[in-house]
Every structure is written in structure tokens, then in C-alpha cells.
Coordinates of all heavy atoms in Angstrom, one line a residue:
M1 N -105.2 40.7 -121.4 CA -105.4 39.3 -121.4 C -106.9 39.0 -121.8 O -107.2 38.2 -122.6 CB -105.0 38.7 -120.1 CG -105.2 37.2 -120.1 SD -103.6 36.5 -119.7 CE -104.1 34.8 -119.5
Q2 N -107.8 39.7 -121.1 CA -109.2 39.5 -121.3 C -109.6 39.9 -122.8 O -110.4 39.3 -123.4 CB -110.0 40.4 -120.3 CG -111.5 40.1 -120.3 CD -111.8 38.7 -119.6 OE1 -110.9 38.0 -119.1 NE2 -113.0 38.3 -119.7
E3 N -108.9 41.0 -123.3 CA -109.2 41.5 -124.6 C -108.7 40.4 -125.6 O -109.4 40.3 -126.7 CB -108.5 42.8 -124.8 CG -109.1 44.0 -124.1 CD -108.3 45.3 -124.3 OE1 -107.3 45.3 -125.1 OE2 -108.6 46.3 -123.7
D4 N -107.6 39.8 -125.4 CA -107.2 38.7 -126.3 C -108.2 37.6 -126.4 O -108.4 37.1 -127.5 CB -105.8 38.1 -125.8 CG -104.7 39.2 -125.9 OD1 -104.8 40.1 -126.7 OD2 -103.7 39.0 -125.2
K5 N -108.8 37.2 -125.3 CA -109.8 36.2 -125.3 C -111.0 36.6 -126.1 O -111.6 35.8 -126.9 CB -110.2 35.8 -123.9 CG -109.2 35.1 -123.1 CD -109.6 34.7 -121.7 CE -108.6 34.0 -120.9 NZ -109.0 33.6 -119.6
I6 N -111.4 37.9 -125.9 CA -112.5 38.4 -126.7 C -112.2 38.4 -128.2 O -113.1 38.0 -129.0 CB -112.9 39.8 -126.2 CG1 -113.5 39.7 -124.8 CG2 -113.9 40.5 -127.1 CD1 -113.7 41.0 -124.1
K7 N -111.0 38.8 -128.6 CA -110.6 38.8 -130.0 C -110.6 37.4 -130.5 O -111.1 37.1 -131.6 CB -109.2 39.4 -130.1 CG -109.2 40.9 -130.0 CD -107.8 41.4 -130.2 CE -107.7 42.9 -129.9 NZ -106.3 43.4 -130.1
L8 N -110.1 36.4 -129.8 CA -110.1 35.0 -130.2 C -111.6 34.5 -130.4 O -111.9 33.8 -131.4 CB -109.4 34.1 -129.2 CG -107.9 34.2 -129.3 CD1 -107.3 33.4 -128.1 CD2 -107.3 33.8 -130.6
I9 N -112.4 34.8 -129.5 CA -113.8 34.4 -129.5 C -114.5 35.0 -130.8 O -115.2 34.4 -131.5 CB -114.6 34.7 -128.2 CG1 -114.1 33.9 -127.1 CG2 -116.1 34.6 -128.5 CD1 -114.6 34.2 -125.8
T10 N -114.2 36.3 -131.0 CA -114.8 37.0 -132.2 C -114.3 36.4 -133.5 O -115.1 36.1 -134.4 CB -114.4 38.5 -132.1 OG1 -114.8 39.1 -130.9 CG2 -115.0 39.2 -133.3
Q11 N -113.0 36.1 -133.6 CA -112.4 35.4 -134.7 C -113.1 34.1 -134.9 O -113.4 33.7 -136.1 CB -110.9 35.3 -134.6 CG -110.2 36.6 -134.8 CD -108.7 36.5 -134.5 OE1 -108.3 35.5 -134.0 NE2 -107.9 37.5 -134.9
Y12 N -113.2 33.3 -133.9 CA -113.8 32.0 -133.9 C -115.2 32.1 -134.5 O -115.7 31.3 -135.3 CB -113.8 31.3 -132.6 CG -114.4 30.0 -132.5 CD1 -113.7 28.9 -133.1 CD2 -115.6 29.7 -131.9 CE1 -114.3 27.6 -133.1 CE2 -116.1 28.5 -131.9 CZ -115.5 27.4 -132.5 OH -116.0 26.2 -132.4
M13 N -116.0 33.0 -134.0 CA -117.4 33.2 -134.4 C -117.4 33.6 -135.9 O -118.3 33.1 -136.6 CB -118.1 34.3 -133.5 CG -118.3 33.8 -132.1 SD -119.0 35.1 -131.0 CE -120.6 35.3 -131.7
Q14 N -116.5 34.4 -136.3 CA -116.5 34.8 -137.7 C -116.2 33.6 -138.6 O -116.7 33.4 -139.7 CB -115.5 35.9 -138.0 CG -115.9 37.3 -137.4 CD -114.8 38.3 -137.4 OE1 -113.6 38.0 -137.6 NE2 -115.2 39.6 -137.3
E15 N -115.2 32.8 -138.2 CA -114.9 31.6 -138.9 C -116.1 30.6 -139.0 O -116.3 30.0 -140.0 CB -113.7 30.8 -138.3 CG -112.4 31.6 -138.5 CD -111.2 31.0 -137.7 OE1 -111.4 29.8 -137.2 OE2 -110.2 31.6 -137.6
I16 N -116.8 30.5 -137.9 CA -118.0 29.6 -137.9 C -119.0 30.2 -138.9 O -119.7 29.5 -139.7 CB -118.6 29.5 -136.5 CG1 -117.7 28.7 -135.6 CG2 -120.0 28.9 -136.6 CD1 -118.1 28.6 -134.2
E17 N -119.2 31.5 -138.9 CA -120.2 32.1 -139.8 C -119.7 31.9 -141.3 O -120.6 31.6 -142.1 CB -120.2 33.6 -139.6 CG -121.3 34.4 -140.4 CD -121.4 35.8 -140.0 OE1 -120.9 36.2 -138.9 OE2 -122.0 36.5 -140.8
I18 N -118.5 32.0 -141.6 CA -118.0 31.8 -143.0 C -118.2 30.3 -143.3 O -118.7 30.0 -144.4 CB -116.5 32.2 -143.1 CG1 -116.3 33.7 -143.0 CG2 -115.9 31.6 -144.4 CD1 -114.9 34.2 -142.8
A19 N -117.9 29.4 -142.4 CA -118.1 28.0 -142.7 C -119.6 27.7 -142.9 O -119.9 26.9 -143.8 CB -117.5 27.1 -141.6
S20 N -120.4 28.3 -142.2 CA -121.9 28.1 -142.3 C -122.3 28.6 -143.7 O -123.2 28.0 -144.3 CB -122.6 28.9 -141.2 OG -124.0 28.8 -141.4
E21 N -121.8 29.8 -144.1 CA -122.2 30.3 -145.4 C -121.8 29.3 -146.5 O -122.5 29.1 -147.5 CB -121.6 31.7 -145.6 CG -122.2 32.8 -144.8 CD -121.5 34.1 -144.9 OE1 -120.5 34.2 -145.7 OE2 -121.9 35.1 -144.2
K22 N -120.6 28.8 -146.4 CA -120.1 27.8 -147.4 C -121.0 26.6 -147.4 O -121.4 26.1 -148.5 CB -118.7 27.4 -147.1 CG -117.6 28.4 -147.4 CD -116.2 27.9 -147.1 CE -115.2 28.9 -147.3 NZ -113.9 28.5 -147.0
D23 N -121.5 26.1 -146.3 CA -122.4 25.0 -146.2 C -123.7 25.4 -146.9 O -124.3 24.5 -147.6 CB -122.6 24.6 -144.7 CG -121.5 23.9 -144.1 OD1 -120.6 23.4 -144.9 OD2 -121.4 23.8 -142.9
D24 N -124.2 26.6 -146.7 CA -125.4 27.0 -147.3 C -125.3 27.0 -148.8 O -126.2 26.6 -149.5 CB -125.8 28.4 -146.9 CG -126.3 28.5 -145.4 OD1 -126.6 27.4 -144.9 OD2 -126.3 29.6 -144.8
F25 N -124.1 27.4 -149.3 CA -123.9 27.4 -150.8 C -123.9 26.0 -151.3 O -124.4 25.7 -152.3 CB -122.5 28.1 -151.1 CG -122.6 29.6 -151.0 CD1 -121.6 30.3 -150.3 CD2 -123.6 30.3 -151.7 CE1 -121.7 31.7 -150.2 CE2 -123.6 31.7 -151.6 CZ -122.7 32.4 -150.8
Q26 N -123.2 25.1 -150.5 CA -123.2 23.7 -150.9 C -124.6 23.1 -151.0 O -125.0 22.3 -151.9 CB -122.3 22.9 -150.0 CG -120.8 23.2 -150.2 CD -119.9 22.4 -149.3 OE1 -120.4 22.0 -148.2 NE2 -118.7 22.4 -149.6
V27 N -125.4 23.4 -150.0 CA -126.8 22.9 -149.9 C -127.6 23.5 -151.1 O -128.3 22.7 -151.8 CB -127.5 23.3 -148.6 CG1 -129.0 23.1 -148.6 CG2 -126.8 22.5 -147.4
N28 N -127.4 24.8 -151.4 CA -128.1 25.4 -152.5 C -127.7 24.7 -153.8 O -128.5 24.5 -154.7 CB -127.9 26.9 -152.6 CG -128.7 27.6 -151.5 OD1 -129.7 27.1 -151.0 ND2 -128.2 28.8 -151.1
D29 N -126.4 24.5 -154.0 CA -125.9 23.8 -155.2 C -126.5 22.4 -155.3 O -126.9 22.0 -156.4 CB -124.4 23.7 -155.2 CG -123.7 25.1 -155.5 OD1 -124.4 26.0 -155.9 OD2 -122.5 25.2 -155.2
S30 N -126.5 21.7 -154.2 CA -127.1 20.4 -154.2 C -128.5 20.4 -154.6 O -129.0 19.5 -155.4 CB -126.9 19.7 -152.9 OG -125.5 19.5 -152.6
L31 N -129.3 21.3 -154.0 CA -130.7 21.4 -154.3 C -130.9 21.8 -155.8 O -131.8 21.2 -156.5 CB -131.4 22.5 -153.4 CG -131.6 22.1 -152.0 CD1 -132.1 23.2 -151.2 CD2 -132.5 20.9 -151.9
N32 N -130.1 22.6 -156.3 CA -130.2 23.0 -157.8 C -129.9 21.8 -158.6 O -130.6 21.5 -159.6 CB -129.3 24.1 -158.1 CG -129.7 25.5 -157.6 OD1 -130.9 25.6 -157.3 ND2 -128.8 26.4 -157.4
E33 N -128.9 21.0 -158.3 CA -128.6 19.8 -159.1 C -129.7 18.8 -159.0 O -130.0 18.1 -159.9 CB -127.3 19.2 -158.6 CG -126.1 20.1 -158.9 CD -124.8 19.7 -158.3 OE1 -124.7 18.6 -157.7 OE2 -123.8 20.4 -158.4
L34 N -130.3 18.7 -157.8 CA -131.4 17.7 -157.6 C -132.6 18.2 -158.5 O -133.2 17.3 -159.2 CB -131.9 17.7 -156.2 CG -133.1 16.8 -155.9 CD1 -132.9 15.4 -156.2 CD2 -133.5 17.0 -154.4
K35 N -132.9 19.5 -158.6 CA -134.0 20.0 -159.4 C -133.7 19.6 -160.9 O -134.6 19.3 -161.6 CB -134.1 21.5 -159.2 CG -134.8 21.8 -157.9 CD -134.9 23.4 -157.8 CE -135.4 23.7 -156.4 NZ -135.5 25.2 -156.2
E36 N -132.4 19.8 -161.3 CA -132.1 19.5 -162.7 C -132.3 18.0 -163.0 O -132.8 17.6 -164.0 CB -130.6 19.8 -162.9 CG -130.3 21.3 -163.0 CD -128.9 21.6 -163.3 OE1 -128.2 20.8 -163.8 OE2 -128.5 22.7 -162.9
L37 N -131.9 17.1 -162.0 CA -132.1 15.7 -162.2 C -133.6 15.4 -162.2 O -134.1 14.5 -163.0 CB -131.5 14.9 -161.0 CG -130.0 14.8 -161.1 CD1 -129.5 14.1 -159.8 CD2 -129.6 14.0 -162.3
Q38 N -134.4 16.0 -161.4 CA -135.9 15.8 -161.4 C -136.5 16.3 -162.7 O -137.4 15.6 -163.2 CB -136.5 16.5 -160.2 CG -136.2 15.9 -158.9 CD -136.7 16.7 -157.7 OE1 -136.9 17.9 -157.8 NE2 -137.0 16.0 -156.6
E39 N -135.9 17.3 -163.3 CA -136.4 17.8 -164.6 C -136.1 16.8 -165.7 O -136.9 16.6 -166.7 CB -135.8 19.1 -164.9 CG -136.4 20.3 -164.1 CD -135.7 21.6 -164.3 OE1 -134.7 21.6 -165.2 OE2 -136.0 22.6 -163.7
L40 N -135.0 16.1 -165.6 CA -134.7 15.1 -166.6 C -135.5 13.8 -166.5 O -135.7 13.1 -167.5 CB -133.2 14.6 -166.4 CG -132.1 15.7 -166.8 CD1 -130.8 15.2 -166.4 CD2 -132.2 16.0 -168.2
S41 N -136.1 13.5 -165.3 CA -136.9 12.3 -165.2 C -138.1 12.5 -166.0 O -138.7 13.6 -166.2 CB -137.3 12.1 -163.7 OG -138.1 13.1 -163.3
G42 N -138.5 11.4 -166.6 CA -139.7 11.4 -167.4 C -139.4 11.7 -168.9 O -140.2 11.7 -169.7
R43 N -138.1 11.9 -169.2 CA -137.7 12.2 -170.6 C -137.5 10.9 -171.4 O -137.3 10.9 -172.6 CB -136.5 13.1 -170.6 CG -136.8 14.5 -170.2 CD -135.6 15.4 -170.5 NE -135.9 16.7 -170.1 CZ -135.1 17.7 -170.2 NH1 -133.9 17.5 -170.8 NH2 -135.4 18.9 -169.8
F44 N -137.4 9.8 -170.7 CA -137.2 8.5 -171.3 C -138.5 7.9 -171.8 O -139.5 8.1 -171.1 CB -136.5 7.5 -170.4 CG -135.1 7.9 -170.0 CD1 -134.9 8.4 -168.7 CD2 -134.1 7.9 -170.9 CE1 -133.6 8.7 -168.4 CE2 -132.8 8.2 -170.6 CZ -132.5 8.7 -169.3
P45 N -138.5 7.2 -172.9 CA -139.8 6.6 -173.4 C -140.2 5.6 -172.4 O -139.4 5.0 -171.6 CB -139.4 6.0 -174.7 CG -137.9 6.0 -174.8 CD -137.4 7.0 -173.8
E46 N -141.5 5.3 -172.4 CA -142.1 4.3 -171.5 C -141.4 2.9 -171.6 O -141.3 2.2 -170.6 CB -143.6 4.2 -171.6 CG -144.3 5.5 -171.1 CD -145.8 5.3 -171.2 OE1 -146.3 4.2 -171.2 OE2 -146.5 6.4 -171.2
D47 N -141.1 2.6 -172.8 CA -140.5 1.2 -173.1 C -139.0 1.2 -172.9 O -138.3 0.3 -173.4 CB -140.9 0.7 -174.5 CG -140.4 1.6 -175.6 OD1 -140.0 2.8 -175.3 OD2 -140.4 1.2 -176.7
F48 N -138.4 2.2 -172.3 CA -137.0 2.3 -172.1 C -136.5 1.1 -171.2 O -137.0 0.9 -170.1 CB -136.6 3.6 -171.4 CG -135.1 3.8 -171.2 CD1 -134.3 4.1 -172.2 CD2 -134.6 3.6 -169.9 CE1 -132.9 4.3 -172.0 CE2 -133.2 3.8 -169.7 CZ -132.4 4.2 -170.8
D49 N -135.5 0.4 -171.8 CA -135.0 -0.8 -171.1 C -133.6 -0.4 -170.5 O -132.6 -0.4 -171.1 CB -134.8 -1.9 -172.1 CG -134.4 -3.2 -171.4 OD1 -134.2 -3.2 -170.1 OD2 -134.3 -4.3 -172.1
Y50 N -133.6 -0.1 -169.2 CA -132.4 0.4 -168.5 C -131.4 -0.7 -168.5 O -130.2 -0.4 -168.8 CB -132.8 0.7 -167.1 CG -131.6 1.0 -166.2 CD1 -130.9 2.2 -166.3 CD2 -131.1 0.0 -165.3 CE1 -129.7 2.4 -165.5 CE2 -130.0 0.2 -164.5 CZ -129.3 1.4 -164.6 OH -128.2 1.6 -163.9
E51 N -131.7 -1.9 -168.3 CA -130.7 -3.0 -168.2 C -130.1 -3.2 -169.6 O -128.8 -3.4 -169.7 CB -131.4 -4.3 -167.8 CG -131.9 -4.3 -166.3 CD -130.7 -4.2 -165.3 OE1 -129.6 -4.8 -165.6 OE2 -130.9 -3.6 -164.3
K52 N -130.8 -3.1 -170.6 CA -130.3 -3.3 -172.0 C -129.3 -2.1 -172.3 O -128.2 -2.4 -172.8 CB -131.4 -3.3 -173.0 CG -131.0 -3.4 -174.4 CD -132.1 -3.4 -175.4 CE -131.6 -3.3 -176.8 NZ -132.7 -3.0 -177.7
E53 N -129.7 -0.9 -172.0 CA -128.9 0.2 -172.3 C -127.6 0.2 -171.5 O -126.5 0.5 -172.0 CB -129.7 1.5 -171.9 CG -130.8 1.8 -172.8 CD -130.4 2.1 -174.3 OE1 -129.4 2.7 -174.5 OE2 -131.2 1.7 -175.2
L54 N -127.7 -0.2 -170.2 CA -126.5 -0.4 -169.4 C -125.6 -1.4 -169.9 O -124.4 -1.2 -170.0 CB -127.0 -0.7 -167.9 CG -125.8 -1.0 -166.9 CD1 -124.9 0.2 -166.8 CD2 -126.3 -1.5 -165.6
Q55 N -126.1 -2.6 -170.3 CA -125.3 -3.6 -170.9 C -124.6 -3.2 -172.1 O -123.4 -3.4 -172.3 CB -126.2 -4.9 -171.2 CG -125.4 -6.1 -171.6 CD -124.5 -6.6 -170.5 OE1 -124.8 -6.5 -169.3 NE2 -123.3 -7.1 -170.8
E56 N -125.3 -2.5 -173.0 CA -124.7 -2.0 -174.2 C -123.6 -1.0 -174.0 O -122.6 -1.0 -174.6 CB -125.8 -1.4 -175.1 CG -126.7 -2.4 -175.8 CD -127.8 -1.7 -176.6 OE1 -127.9 -0.5 -176.7 OE2 -128.7 -2.5 -177.1
A57 N -123.8 -0.1 -173.0 CA -122.8 0.9 -172.7 C -121.6 0.2 -172.1 O -120.5 0.6 -172.4 CB -123.4 1.9 -171.7
L58 N -121.8 -0.7 -171.2 CA -120.7 -1.5 -170.6 C -119.9 -2.2 -171.7 O -118.6 -2.2 -171.7 CB -121.1 -2.4 -169.5 CG -121.7 -1.7 -168.2 CD1 -122.3 -2.8 -167.3 CD2 -120.6 -1.0 -167.5
E59 N -120.6 -2.9 -172.6 CA -119.9 -3.6 -173.7 C -119.1 -2.6 -174.6 O -118.0 -2.9 -175.0 CB -120.9 -4.4 -174.5 CG -121.4 -5.6 -173.7 CD -122.5 -6.3 -174.5 OE1 -122.7 -6.0 -175.7 OE2 -123.1 -7.2 -173.9
E60 N -119.7 -1.5 -174.8 CA -119.1 -0.5 -175.7 C -117.8 0.1 -175.0 O -116.8 0.2 -175.6 CB -120.0 0.7 -176.0 CG -119.5 1.7 -176.8 CD -120.5 2.9 -177.1 OE1 -121.7 2.6 -177.3 OE2 -120.0 4.0 -177.1
K61 N -117.9 0.3 -173.7 CA -116.8 0.8 -173.0 C -115.7 -0.2 -172.7 O -114.5 0.1 -172.8 CB -117.2 1.5 -171.7 CG -116.1 2.2 -171.0 CD -116.6 3.1 -169.9 CE -115.5 3.9 -169.3 NZ -115.9 4.9 -168.4
Y62 N -116.1 -1.4 -172.2 CA -115.2 -2.3 -171.7 C -115.0 -3.6 -172.5 O -114.2 -4.5 -172.3 CB -115.5 -2.8 -170.3 CG -115.6 -1.6 -169.3 CD1 -116.8 -1.1 -168.8 CD2 -114.4 -1.0 -168.9 CE1 -116.8 -0.1 -167.9 CE2 -114.4 0.1 -168.0 CZ -115.6 0.5 -167.5 OH -115.6 1.6 -166.7
G63 N -115.9 -3.8 -173.5 CA -115.9 -5.0 -174.3 C -116.8 -6.0 -173.7 O -117.4 -5.8 -172.7
Y64 N -117.0 -7.1 -174.4 CA -117.9 -8.1 -174.0 C -117.2 -9.1 -173.0 O -116.2 -9.6 -173.4 CB -118.5 -8.9 -175.2 CG -119.5 -9.9 -174.8 CD1 -120.8 -9.6 -174.4 CD2 -119.2 -11.3 -174.9 CE1 -121.7 -10.5 -174.0 CE2 -120.1 -12.3 -174.5 CZ -121.3 -11.9 -174.1 OH -122.2 -12.8 -173.7
F65 N -117.8 -9.3 -171.9 CA -117.2 -10.3 -170.9 C -118.0 -11.6 -170.8 O -117.7 -12.4 -170.0 CB -117.2 -9.6 -169.5 CG -116.1 -8.5 -169.4 CD1 -116.5 -7.2 -169.3 CD2 -114.8 -8.8 -169.5 CE1 -115.6 -6.2 -169.2 CE2 -113.8 -7.8 -169.4 CZ -114.2 -6.5 -169.3
G66 N -119.1 -11.7 -171.5 CA -119.9 -12.9 -171.6 C -120.3 -13.4 -170.3 O -120.7 -14.3 -169.9

């Protein structure tokens, strides 16, 4: 009976370790994606008009809603 508890605790600890490794991978993936986004920043010209570009993209995709 005591051995069964030890086995359960060991399995539980292994599952926690696996879950932790998955979280680490997700964090690393997120950090890599953030770095990619940061590298993209500054690639737009200084006179880039975000609102105008957004409006044009919305009109192109959905049509004009006036």
C-alpha cells in the first residue's frame, strides 16, 4: 500500500515536470515571436499613416460602410 502511494507520487511529479517543460517551450516560442515582432518595428516609413492603411484594408476586405 505504501509502495502504491510512492508510485503515484512519482508519477504525479513526472507529469508536473512534463507540464513544466511544455510551459517552458511555450514561453520560449512566445519570446521568439516577440523578438520577431520587435525586429519588424521600425520598418515602416516615418510618414506611415496607420489609420489610413487600416481604413483601406477594411474597405478592401469588407467594402465601404461610409
Side-chain angles (χ1 to χ4, degrees):
M1 182 125 171
Q2 192 72 5
E3 290 178 3
D4 292 337
K5 289 181 182 179
I6 292 174
K7 285 181 184 179
L8 285 175
I9 291 172
T10 304
Q11 288 175 343
Y12 180 72
M13 291 173 66
Q14 288 172 342
E15 290 174 11
I16 289 175
E17 185 176 345
I18 290 170
S20 176
E21 289 174 0
K22 287 181 182 178
D23 288 343
D24 288 344
F25 286 128
Q26 288 176 342
V27 167
N28 286 338
D29 288 343
S30 296
L31 287 174
N32 289 336
E33 292 171 8
L34 176 61
K35 286 178 185 177
E36 288 178 25
L37 286 174
Q38 289 174 334
E39 289 173 2
L40 289 175
S41 67
R43 290 190 181 182
F44 295 108
E46 289 183 23
D47 61 345
F48 181 76
D49 186 358
Y50 169 78
E51 292 294 326
K52 178 182 172 193
E53 294 293 327
L54 176 61
Q55 187 64 34
E56 289 176 2
L58 290 173
E59 287 176 11
E60 182 180 318
K61 185 168 185 172
Y62 300 110
Y64 181 72
F65 290 109

